[in-house]
Amino acid sequence: MSEAADIAERILYSEALALDEARWDDWLALFVEDVEYWVPAWKSEEAPTADPTREISLIYASARSELEDRVFRVRSGRSIASVPLPRTAHIVTNVLAMPEGNDAIAVRSMWAIHVFNVKRREEHLFFARCEHRLVRRGADWRIRRRKAILLNDTLPTMLDFYTI
């Protein structure tokens, strides 16, 4: 396995585990300050939206501070839909890493996210094609861009960063 693949798997698996264990500070630390975090909506049966600034998105954040705001709402209890917090199991597979020079890696992967809504005693499975762009920051690697194309976008419950 290549060094890029090792780095990509470590970052993606760390992201998934931090979400499942509600380790929000560890999750946030994976992102650069100017991260783009995007879950596009579908504009037709065949194509998702292509421009988060002009078309509808299920989730869009253009900076880590916006992700920090979402985490604050969950921690503070101000997100009614997140109390109690759903239980999740993120499964990452088919990780394909493509180096882009010495300081960036493009990553494609598939995610399955099992969600158990404690309040309703209901289960749901989300599945997505994900694209990450990792960048080197000093000796570490961070997520510069995360795009998750949700393949089953009929949402039986709320959707937030910890369920996708």
Side-chain angles (χ1 to χ4, degrees):
M1 187 177 296
S2 73
E3 181 183 8
D6 287 342
I7 291 165
E9 286 182 351
R10 181 177 48 82
I11 296 289
L12 270 58
Y13 295 159
S14 295
E15 179 186 11
L17 189 58
L19 289 168
D20 289 339
E21 294 179 350
R23 289 185 290 108
W24 309 132
D25 292 330
D26 293 343
W27 179 72
L28 289 167
L30 294 170
F31 299 97
V32 296
E33 292 294 327
D34 60 343
V35 66
E36 180 182 61
Y37 185 99
W38 183 29
V39 183
W42 286 87
K43 63 181 167 185
S44 71
E45 294 301 318
E46 296 82 29
T49 55
D51 184 346
T53 63
R54 296 186 321 175
E55 298 176 289
I56 293 182
S57 298
L58 298 175
I59 299 175
Y60 181 70
S62 61
R64 189 170 77 190
S65 61
E66 294 174 47
L67 298 178
E68 291 167 353
D69 287 343
R70 286 178 173 269
V71 167
F72 173 78
R73 285 195 305 275
V74 169
R75 281 184 168 150
S76 68
R78 291 183 180 171
S79 171
I80 301 298
S82 302
V83 178
L85 192 66
R87 299 175 194 151
T88 61
H90 289 72
I91 299 157
V92 183
T93 188
N94 297 2
V95 178
L96 178 61
M98 295 148 287
E100 295 180 339
N102 293 328
D103 296 326
I105 303 170
V107 185
R108 296 186 60 127
S109 61
M110 296 297 295
W111 288 57
I113 305 95
H114 295 267
V115 179
F116 179 67
N117 184 314
V118 177
K119 195 183 311 184
R120 294 187 178 139
R121 307 307 255 185
E122 295 174 348
E123 299 174 37
H124 186 69
L125 172 67
F126 291 114
F127 44 97
R129 276 193 317 262
C130 289
E131 300 171 12
H132 286 72
R133 183 165 184 359
L134 309 178
V135 293
R136 187 188 309 266
R137 290 294 190 259
D140 295 324
W141 287 88
R142 298 284 181 252
I143 300 168
R144 167 65 185 90
R145 183 170 193 263
R146 183 187 199 275
K147 177 181 175 185
I149 300 173
L150 191 60
L151 299 174
N152 60 329
D153 64 331
T154 304
L155 306 175
T157 184
M158 57 66 190
L159 178 75
D160 211 332
F161 69 92
Y162 50 83
T163 59
I164 186 65

